[in-house]
Amino acid sequence: MDCSSLAQLPLYGGLFTSALIAATVFPMQSEAVLVGLLLDGNFSTPLLIVAASCGNVLGAVINWWLGRSLDRFRHRPWFPATNRQMQRAEQWYHRYGRWSLLLSWVPIVGDPLTVIAGVLGEPLLSFLLIAGSAKLLRYLLLTALTLQWLG
């Protein structure tokens, strides 16, 4: 690894961090960071995809874990979702099942889905396979579109 590669590590880390935060309930957009780094042209495309995907999947796992851990606090006044919101999300998840996690990459809808998957006891392995695949495919598609149209 040469000095220029070492200098780029914080930017890969920044992409990883933005993707992680974007997958949680905090508002953040990792797509803009990925597109900017792709358009810069000085970064490894596969490493950018790995950094974004790993960060986003880890953020989803944090949501899943929070769902598993926080469900016992559902009826507390400070709980971030109302009973009605939780019931709607649970009905939706029960209706479409674990395959609804294919939408875990979708803004606004995806983050609550990953929390509900934890609340409803979705096994971690199936969660990782389905949500991880969806998130990886999103970054692959975004990369392909960026390089095709803007690169």
Side-chain angles (χ1 to χ4, degrees), residues 46-61:
L47 284 178
L48 290 173
I49 294 169
V50 167
S53 298
C54 288
N56 211 245
V57 170
L58 180 58
V61 169

Side-chain angles (χ1 to χ4, degrees), residues 57-139:
V57 170
L58 180 58
V61 169
I62 290 169
N63 286 347
W64 174 88
W65 176 81
L66 285 171
R68 297 283 282 217
S69 303
L70 293 177
D71 186 48
R72 65 180 178 257
F73 301 113
R74 182 189 294 204
H75 302 290
R76 301 279 174 94
W78 51 263
F79 194 75
T82 66
N83 281 336
R84 188 174 191 291
Q85 289 171 320
M86 290 295 289
Q87 287 171 347
R88 251 190 358 211
E90 287 177 16
Q91 288 170 348
W92 200 84
Y93 193 81
H94 281 303
R95 181 175 181 190
Y96 297 104
R98 66 175 41 130
W99 297 108
S100 63
L101 289 170
L102 289 171
L103 298 175
S104 62
W105 65 271
V106 176
I108 300 169
V109 174
D111 300 340
L113 263 177
T114 58
V115 174
I116 292 299
V119 168
L120 296 177
E122 182 66 41
L124 182 58
L125 182 58
S126 60
F127 177 85
L128 282 172
L129 290 173
I130 298 169
S133 296
K135 290 169 176 294
L136 172 62
L137 287 172
R138 183 250 323 255
Y139 286 118

